[in-house]
Amino acid sequence: MNATRTIGGYLELARVGNAVAAGALTFVGSFVAGGLDSPWAVTLAVVATAAATGAGNAVNDYFDRDIDAVNRPDRPIPSGRVSARPAATFAAALFLIATVAALSLPTLALAIAVVNLLALLAYTQLFKGLPAVGNLVVAYLTGSTFLFGAAAVGPIAAPTPTLFGLAATATFAREVVKDVEDVAGDREEGLRTLPIVAGERPALALATVAMAAATLASAVPYVDGTFGLAYVAVVLPADAAMLGATAWGFRDPGTAQRWIKRGTFLAAAAFVAGRVATVVG
């Protein structure tokens, strides 16, 4: 029972669901870029992304263990399921796996991987407590999964930059909403997040404006002729879900940030639908 509890703690430490989801986004980036004729490169890119995401989550929990004792006492470290030092070792092992997987990829993909690994390592200690900066770093990291997937199989071309921008902007909005949810613990730890510095309602207003910009940008692949109606049919519900959820953050930030995340994945699915329709058509 203890061994099962410990293993479960490590899996939760890495946030396996999030790590797998990040790998899936990298796969989408490769697929949208038309790179499925390079299965080995796609596999390495997916593994690198999933491992790096898990490592970043573990590092974040290691440094945030005191904050989590207030905000999320059920997390693996504050709950006692995983000790702090083994958590750091676990994170290092995942970073090593990500590095080895990325070394065989093209130069641009490797460069993105290096930047992302450095950003993951520096995030909690340098960026997280700075107003909006930490949000922007997480937004870039999420959006870059698509760039990384595309760079793993060839040059980055349309519509990948739009997909990057949409995901990054939507993630920025979600991170701001999450900061509103976490104000109590962050204030106790002395962090200067955007809601603490600017106020919760102004921060949520900024998140709503950012999300509105993202939904407007989602029209670009249709307007420029890259994708057709199959893309529109999926991206419109995604836009509605993300924008509506962001506005709901004024009432319930916890529920809102979860729905923004779901909407982001639906938006990614819209790019897959657009690519499939283009190939079949």
Side-chain angles (χ1 to χ4, degrees), residues 11 24 53 58 74 247 280:
L11 293 177
T53 301
D74 59 332
V280 172

Side-chain angles (χ1 to χ4, degrees), residues 41 46 53 208 215:
V46 169
T53 301
T208 304
T215 56

Side-chain angles (χ1 to χ4, degrees), residues 1 3 5 7 11 32 67 72 79 98 107 119 126 153 161 177 186 203-204 217 231 237 239 248 253 260 273:
M1 181 65 71
R5 187 169 180 264
I7 292 172
L11 293 177
V32 170
I67 299 177
R72 295 183 174 86
S79 69
T107 302
L126 298 180
V153 298
V177 174
D186 290 345
L204 289 168
Y231 167 77
D239 288 344
W248 190 254
I260 292 171

Side-chain angles (χ1 to χ4, degrees), residues 230-271:
Y231 167 77
V232 173
V234 183
V235 84
L236 285 179
D239 288 344
M242 291 187 294
L243 189 56
T246 307
W248 190 254
F250 286 93
R251 296 188 179 186
D252 183 357
T255 300
Q257 62 93 0
R258 288 190 291 273
W259 275 100
I260 292 171
K261 184 177 182 179
R262 293 166 186 162
T264 303
F265 280 103
L266 185 57
F271 282 79

Side-chain angles (χ1 to χ4, degrees), residues 134-159:
N135 306 130
L136 289 170
V137 171
V138 175
Y140 158 76
L141 287 170
T142 300
S144 71
T145 56
F146 300 107
L147 296 179
F148 182 58
V153 298
I156 296 176

